[in-house]
Amino acid sequence: MSSWLMPVAVAVVIVWIGVRHARASRSETLLDDHARRRVGPGAQVPGPVSVWREANRLFRAGEREGLLLLAEIGRQAPKRRQAVVTTWLAALRGGVSLGLDAPWRVAVQRELVSHLRPGADFWPGMDVVAPGAILVDFDLSGCRVNRVDLTGAVFVGDARFEAMTVTGDATFAGARFLRHAVFTEALFARSASFGLAVFAGNVSLRAAQVADQLVFARAKVSGRADLRAAEVSGRADFRHVRFGGRALFAEVVFQQDAWFRHAWFRGRTDVGAALIGEAAEFGNARFGRRVMQ
């Protein structure tokens, strides 16, 4: 085929796709360009391929082009956005033995977060479900998501969720935060669970709001626990929690029961101006230092 005929043929194909498949046209074009670059001079151009399958193959191989193709599929086909997010999150589960080192994890996280934070490229209503994920300097600050399930996740570096909005249930049960965990001014429209979680550094839920129950049962906090001015509309469960550093509950509002049975407060505890709407249970709780009221 003459050299000038190929661009003409490609242009005709692109126009035809743009008319009949407007939302998917850009993704198809990107993949077609990729396929053309992979064949040698004079070789026959491959026939039509699945954009989704090829994007996943490239992504699993750790190629940035696969990451970008998946993002483009999400932009052009809103119905596939959750599938794209799920694919990215699946790559963050498991250890580095799977071939995903820290820089690659950060790149995947950065692309993920760019679509979870309200703005020009925001994808609303996404579920963030990645039990057992390994997350590096994870930052969902200002993001708005539906359900969060990071059960047993490992957070390497700081984990930041400042002013995050979760419209569904959120669970971090059994998660390990290897440095600081910041949930300052986060809004949980339903329940929030941190049961059995381990915080190697500080944890902050200062001015956070939980519309249903808050569960911290059997969690361990090595650093400071800051819940000042937090508001919990449902039951607050802190049974068997170990507070290794200061426990700050000043001006907290628990609208229903607050359970602290068998809790261990090793550092200074501040409950000044705290408000508990119903029963407060401190049976067998231990206090290592004085309680500020």
Side-chain angles (χ1 to χ4, degrees), residues 122-273:
F122 176 52
W123 298 353
M126 296 295 101
D127 291 336
V128 179
V129 179
I134 297 177
L135 304 164
V136 181
D137 293 322
F138 197 50
D139 189 351
L140 281 183
S141 298
C143 290
R144 186 183 304 162
V145 299
N146 183 28
R147 183 168 61 100
V148 173
D149 184 354
L150 292 172
T151 302
V154 178
F155 295 88
V156 180
D158 289 341
R160 310 195 71 87
F161 302 89
E162 297 170 277
M164 173 185 67
T165 299
V166 184
T167 58
D169 292 321
T171 178
F172 298 84
R176 287 180 290 165
F177 297 85
L178 302 186
R179 205 163 182 272
H180 304 313
V182 183
F183 293 86
T184 303
E185 297 184 343
L187 172 61
F188 298 95
R190 297 184 67 178
S191 64
S193 177
F194 299 88
L196 292 170
V198 176
F199 299 88
N202 301 330
V203 56
S204 173
L205 278 86
R206 186 170 184 175
Q209 297 182 57
V210 183
D212 201 342
Q213 66 178 356
L214 172 64
V215 178
F216 257 85
R218 298 186 182 276
K220 296 180 181 179
V221 184
S222 296
R224 181 181 65 249
D226 187 352
L227 284 88
R228 287 175 291 178
E231 183 173 349
V232 181
S233 298
R235 184 181 68 243
D237 187 352
F238 291 91
R239 291 174 296 177
H240 295 274
V241 175
R242 282 185 158 185
F243 295 98
R246 290 182 294 171
L248 307 178
F249 289 88
E251 299 182 352
V252 69
V253 176
F254 295 131
Q255 295 188 13
Q256 295 187 28
D257 295 343
W259 298 343
F260 291 90
R261 292 198 301 269
H262 297 281
W264 187 7
F265 299 86
R266 298 185 63 182
R268 182 171 63 88
T269 304
D270 185 355
V271 295

Side-chain angles (χ1 to χ4, degrees), residues 59-105:
F59 179 66
R60 288 195 299 269
E63 296 192 29
R64 180 172 176 77
E65 188 170 2
L67 176 64
L68 298 179
L69 277 172
L70 286 170
E72 188 59 30
I73 289 172
R75 292 188 186 96
Q76 301 298 327
K79 291 183 178 180
R80 289 221 170 179
R81 288 175 177 174
Q82 183 61 63
V84 172
V85 168
T86 300
T87 299
W88 288 337
L89 290 170
L92 299 174
R93 300 173 66 177
V96 294
S97 60
L98 297 181
L100 298 177
D101 57 14
W104 174 246
R105 288 177 189 273

